[in-house]
């Protein structure tokens, strides 16, 4: 009926926007899914029981608008106050709220030369890192400042950043994925602390994969007035489906974020699932150990086959495959019913990002790679 929708109804910023591209969730059954860093193990039986028990007539009621009980439990876990925690519809929502709360839209062309106005409108991040950050900056009409990691995807030190004219110590908001994605490297808390000390604006340490790493930087969020740590129940806690993530950090920043979030931003079953998760952390710690062991095995086997595997402190590995371009490998593996991720970006287009699955899934991947190389 409305065959031609007039473009003028839509803001130019939105018309021009390159939206975030999520990994494929295939409709075909029987594929081995190693493309979106989901946990290969299901949630704890206690979590499933808690969600089932809550699925009744109470679904008609609004959930806690502040996820009160969950925030209290998280505060206990991290030894802070509930005022230091805000929960969201996945940590992606938290990242978007941070942009809206701390970053001005880009100034008009006239004043663009003013350095401080531009810094106030800048979202800064290393590249390659989480590909959502530029989308969030663009959506907000903010300036983005993508600064290259070192060639081995390690993080430049503060002294190096001072020499790099591009890095902005006054950027309103700086995102650091730690451990990094898609590189997989873990960063040392002492290095992150030096970076935090040097930044004037807000720093978000995005710890989506931290449970698979050697160190975490939670103490920085509870020490500095301008540092937030982002965590999620998605990856390590097998809850992607329920969409629960959070920020921990200084009460003033957290209060600012609460002001602008949707009133009921965390769905009720998500709150219940996350609370039950915190009641069974032992179950999950055993899973982390299994995934780390499989990661070690997979890295070794792929290295034997001629892959160049980068060190990983996450539940995935980044690996440069031999013989064919990575994009060909993507297809060849898919032909053998294995899904991995390939990013068509200059810094990482030679690599495949492979989620660490169960030992059986990792075994199937190695077998398929052997077949491809024959
Ligand atoms: C998966 C991921 C997130 C988002 O997780 P959700 O809580 O599911 O929104 C955030 N940051 C990084 C780096 C991720 O890989």
């Amino acid at each position: 009926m409305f065959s031609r929708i007039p473009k003028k109804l839509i803001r130019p910023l939105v018309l021009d926007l390159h939206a975030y591209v999520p990994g494929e969730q295939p409709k075909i059954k029987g594929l081995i899914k190693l493309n979106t860093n989901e946990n290969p193990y299901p949630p704890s039986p206690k979590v499933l029981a808690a969600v089932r028990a809550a699925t009744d007539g109470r679904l008609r009621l609004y959930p806690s608008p502040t996820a009160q009980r969950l925030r209290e439990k998280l505060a206990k876990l991290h030894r802070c106050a509930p005022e230091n925690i805000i929960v969201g519809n996945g940590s992606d929502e938290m990242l978007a709220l941070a942009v809206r709360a701390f970053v001005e839209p880009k100034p008009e062309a006239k004043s663009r030369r003013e350095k401080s106005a531009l810094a106030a409108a800048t979202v800064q991040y290393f590249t390659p890192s989480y590909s959502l950050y530029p989308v969030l900056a663009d959506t907000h009409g903010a300036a983005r400042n993508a600064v290259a990691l070192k060639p081995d995807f390690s993080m430049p030190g503060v002294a190096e950043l001072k020499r790099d004219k591009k890095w902005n110590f006054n950027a309103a908001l700086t995102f650091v994925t730690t451990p990094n994605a898609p590189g997989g490297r873990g960063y040392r808390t002492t290095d992150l602390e030096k970076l935090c000390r040097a930044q004037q604006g807000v720093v978000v340490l995005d710890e989506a994969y931290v449970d698979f790493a050697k160190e975490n930087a939670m103490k920085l969020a509870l020490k500095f007035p301008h540092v937030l740590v982002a965590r999620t129940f998605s990856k390590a806690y097998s809850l992607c489906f329920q969409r629960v993530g959070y920020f921990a950090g200084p009460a003033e920043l957290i209060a600012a974020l609460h002001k602008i979030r949707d009133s009921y931003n965390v769905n009720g079953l998500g709150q219940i699932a996350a609370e039950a998760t915190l009641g069974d952390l032992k179950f999950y710690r055993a899973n982390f150990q299994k995934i780390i062991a499989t990661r070690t095995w997979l890295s070794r086997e792929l290295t034997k086959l001629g892959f160049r595997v980068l060190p990983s402190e996450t539940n995935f590995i980044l690996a440069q495959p031999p013989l064919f371009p990575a994009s060909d490998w993507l297809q060849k593996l898919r032909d053998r019913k294995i899904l991995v991720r390939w990013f068509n970006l200059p810094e990482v287009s030679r690599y495949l990002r492979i989620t660490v699955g169960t030992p059986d899934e990792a075994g199937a991947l190695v077998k398929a790679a052997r077949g491809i190389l024959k």
Side-chain angles (χ1 to χ4, degrees), residues 41 289-299 356-359 362:
Y41 303 109
Q289 291 318 311
K290 280 193 262 182
I291 289 168
I292 290 168
T294 309
R295 181 180 78 200
T296 305
W297 181 85
L298 179 62
S299 301
V356 176
T358 60

Side-chain angles (χ1 to χ4, degrees), residues 32 34 297-298 301-302 305 307 321-324 328-340 352 354 359-374:
I32 296 182
L34 303 177
W297 181 85
L298 179 62
E301 293 302 309
L302 289 178
L305 293 178
F307 284 67
L323 222 52
F324 314 107
D328 289 4
W329 273 91
L330 180 75
Q331 189 54 48
K332 287 176 195 291
L333 286 169
R334 201 193 163 98
D335 295 343
R336 287 166 168 79
K337 301 223 180 314
I338 297 177
L339 235 56
V340 299
L352 296 173
I354 304 167
D360 280 355
E361 290 171 332
L365 174 78
V366 169
K367 195 169 159 217
R370 237 182 246 129
I372 290 167
L373 286 168
K374 238 187 226 150

Side-chain angles (χ1 to χ4, degrees), residues 215-287:
E215 296 179 23
N216 75 74
M218 183 55 81
K219 67 171 189 190
L220 302 183
L222 304 175
K223 168 172 167 180
F224 287 109
H226 65 307
V227 178
L228 294 160
V229 161
R231 294 277 181 95
T232 174
F233 285 87
S234 291
K235 312 282 168 53
Y237 300 94
S238 305
L239 271 188
C240 287
F241 195 80
Q242 292 281 8
R243 314 298 307 124
V244 188
Y246 61 97
F247 271 159
E252 288 79 5
L253 299 190
I254 297 292
L257 294 160
H258 272 294
K259 278 169 105 172
I260 61 166
R261 66 170 171 75
D262 285 345
S263 322
Y264 301 98
N265 63 328
V266 193
N267 79 83
L269 293 179
Q271 293 185 31
I272 282 167
E275 283 172 42
T277 299
L278 296 179
D280 202 8
L281 290 178
K282 248 173 71 187
F283 173 91
Y284 293 93
R285 290 189 185 122
N287 282 351

Side-chain angles (χ1 to χ4, degrees), residues 97-113:
L97 282 185
V99 174
R100 282 166 50 203
F102 308 128
V103 185
E104 297 288 356
K106 248 183 290 200
E108 294 302 314
K110 263 196 301 206
S111 59
R112 208 173 273 176
R113 260 171 280 130

Side-chain angles (χ1 to χ4, degrees), residues 31 35 39 75 77 82 94 99 129-130 149 162 170 175 185 190-191 207-208 215 302 307 318 349 354 356 371:
L31 290 182
N35 66 331
N39 197 307
L77 176 69
M94 294 293 95
V99 174
S129 71
Y130 189 28
L149 289 168
K162 281 188 176 151
N170 296 309
F175 286 120
R185 256 181 210 284
T190 50
D191 294 333
E207 292 195 330
E215 296 179 23
L302 289 178
F307 284 67
L318 195 70
S349 61
I354 304 167
V356 176

Side-chain angles (χ1 to χ4, degrees), residues 73-254:
K73 291 193 159 120
L74 287 168
K76 213 165 168 192
L77 176 69
H78 297 305
R79 304 205 184 103
C80 60
E83 290 69 39
N84 297 112
I85 307 280
I86 178 169
V87 185
N89 184 43
S91 59
D92 281 352
E93 188 203 7
M94 294 293 95
L95 304 176
L97 282 185
V99 174
R100 282 166 50 203
F102 308 128
V103 185
E104 297 288 356
K106 248 183 290 200
E108 294 302 314
K110 263 196 301 206
S111 59
R112 208 173 273 176
R113 260 171 280 130
E114 265 184 65
K115 256 186 158 175
S116 62
L118 187 58
T122 296
V123 175
Q124 179 166 254
Y125 47 89
F126 291 109
T127 176
S129 71
Y130 189 28
S131 55
L132 180 67
Y133 307 145
V135 180
L136 296 178
D138 290 353
T139 306
H140 191 60
R144 24 164 155 140
N145 193 33
V147 175
L149 289 168
K150 299 210 253 189
D152 66 353
F153 299 145
S154 60
M155 190 172 62
V158 171
E160 288 165 279
L161 292 174
K162 281 188 176 151
R163 268 179 264 127
D164 184 341
K165 294 244 157 36
K166 204 161 179 247
W167 186 261
N168 190 339
F169 287 97
N170 296 309
L173 179 60
T174 300
F175 286 120
V176 182
T177 319
T178 171
N180 196 20
R185 256 181 210 284
Y187 299 144
R188 303 288 67 89
T189 303
T190 50
D191 294 333
L192 293 168
E193 175 156 7
K194 285 177 197 151
L195 179 65
C196 289
R197 272 187 202 286
Q199 288 305 125
Q200 299 299 307
V202 174
V203 180
V204 169
L205 303 172
D206 183 350
E207 292 195 330
Y209 300 102
V210 81
D211 296 287
F212 308 104
K214 293 196 186 104
E215 296 179 23
N216 75 74
M218 183 55 81
K219 67 171 189 190
L220 302 183
L222 304 175
K223 168 172 167 180
F224 287 109
H226 65 307
V227 178
L228 294 160
V229 161
R231 294 277 181 95
T232 174
F233 285 87
S234 291
K235 312 282 168 53
Y237 300 94
S238 305
L239 271 188
C240 287
F241 195 80
Q242 292 281 8
R243 314 298 307 124
V244 188
Y246 61 97
F247 271 159
E252 288 79 5
L253 299 190
I254 297 292

